[in-house]
Amino acid sequence: ENACLLIHNKISTKYTQRADSYDDIAELIETIIKTHTGNYLVYFPSYVYLNEVVERLKQRLPDRQLLIQERGMDESARDSFLAQFSTTNEETLVGFAVMGGVFGEGIDLVGDRLIGVIVVGVGVPQLGLERDLIKEYFDRDLGSGYAYAYQYPGFNRVLQATGRVIRTDTDRGIIVLIDERFTQTQYRQLFPSHWRGYQVVKNIHEVEDKLTHFWK
């Protein structure tokens, strides 16, 4: 009950349709963060996708509010990134990270250090030989190779990312999942029990209304 979980299912983040989503996602992120001042993390399936959306957000938000995960960050750079999620920030800070990366799990930003997570896409890993071999193996035995090789690992990344928001029983925050696939049966059946109160939104106005109501 301390989390507001929204699923925006009118944007496709499938690989072949990503270029069509950049502007819509940038507008959606801007809308989400303007409903309440605080610290947010936005997770993407790849650096390329992340950078395309960030370039569009730079036209909407001042650079000082944008914090971007770089490839190959050392421990010092990672610590510096996390340190900026401070409870003393006077304006909104938005961090951008890659799902399954160093900021996707194992970080504790308690209380107002993090009030919202936005997840772009269902986390499906890139196609590759190793995963294709897993797919072939499970196709032979169970007939569900794609699920074991791609869907389940991807959804685990989503769960890890969304798990950054509520770290104690007094934390409050929002989670917004962006992808049409989240409302399909094969994904809904993977939802954990604490997601049962999710709400589906179809446009910017519905997102703004739901979040404004939650923060009040």
Side-chain angles (χ1 to χ4, degrees):
E1 59 268 26
N2 285 6
C4 174
L5 173 58
L6 304 182
I7 298 175
H8 193 302
N9 71 339
K10 293 299 179 183
I11 295 177
S12 173
T13 72
K14 291 177 181 175
Y15 188 79
T16 56
Q17 296 171 298
R18 285 182 183 176
D20 296 329
S21 73
Y22 299 152
D23 291 313
D24 289 340
I25 290 174
E27 182 184 17
L28 183 55
I29 292 170
E30 181 188 23
T31 299
I32 292 166
I33 67 170
K34 285 189 172 180
T35 61
H36 197 75
T37 301
N39 301 325
Y40 297 83
L41 270 171
V42 186
Y43 290 94
F44 286 85
S46 71
Y47 284 102
V48 173
Y49 205 167
L50 182 159
N51 289 326
E52 289 286 357
V53 174
V54 166
E55 284 305 308
R56 286 154 177 81
L57 276 167
K58 285 180 177 178
Q59 301 167 25
R60 298 170 173 270
L61 301 168
D63 280 356
R64 67 180 180 274
Q65 290 186 261
L66 308 177
L67 185 62
I68 302 159
Q69 177 185 354
E70 305 290 347
R71 295 177 188 266
M73 295 172 79
D74 60 22
E75 187 174 353
S76 174
R78 295 198 297 269
D79 289 345
S80 175
F81 182 98
L82 294 174
Q84 294 186 63
F85 289 83
S86 170
T87 57
T88 61
N89 290 345
E90 294 183 356
E91 62 180 355
T92 289
L93 176 73
V94 193
F96 297 86
V98 173
M99 269 187 274
V102 293
F103 301 119
E105 59 178 316
I107 60 170
D108 270 322
L109 298 172
V110 175
D112 288 341
R113 289 192 67 195
L114 184 68
I115 66 163
V117 161
I118 302 165
V119 177
V120 180
V122 293
V124 173
Q126 286 189 322
L127 296 173
L129 176 61
E130 183 178 346
R131 293 203 175 275
D132 282 344
L133 290 172
I134 294 171
K135 179 179 180 296
E136 289 175 16
Y137 173 82
F138 281 104
D139 272 338
R140 285 196 305 271
D141 282 20
L142 301 171
S144 52
Y146 179 81
Y148 281 95
Y150 292 100
Q151 183 191 2
Y152 299 161
F155 193 72
N156 192 51
R157 291 178 177 181
V158 173
L159 289 175
Q160 289 170 340
T162 60
R164 300 311 98 208
V165 181
I166 306 296
R167 305 303 293 171
T168 73
D169 58 5
T170 57
D171 286 6
R172 291 187 81 235
I174 66 152
I175 298 166
V176 182
L177 307 177
I178 305 172
D179 195 286
E180 59 185 4
R181 288 169 285 185
F182 281 119
T183 50
Q184 295 174 359
T185 302
Q186 63 265 38
Y187 278 95
R188 283 190 290 109
Q189 65 189 9
L190 301 179
F191 286 8
S193 60
H194 61 273
W195 281 19
R196 59 185 177 274
Y198 74 86
Q199 303 174 78
V200 178
V201 289
K202 298 178 174 62
N203 55 56
I204 293 288
H205 303 296
E206 290 184 8
V207 171
E208 193 171 30
D209 288 346
K210 299 286 187 188
L211 294 182
T212 300
H213 177 74
F214 174 75
W215 289 121
K216 281 183 179 177

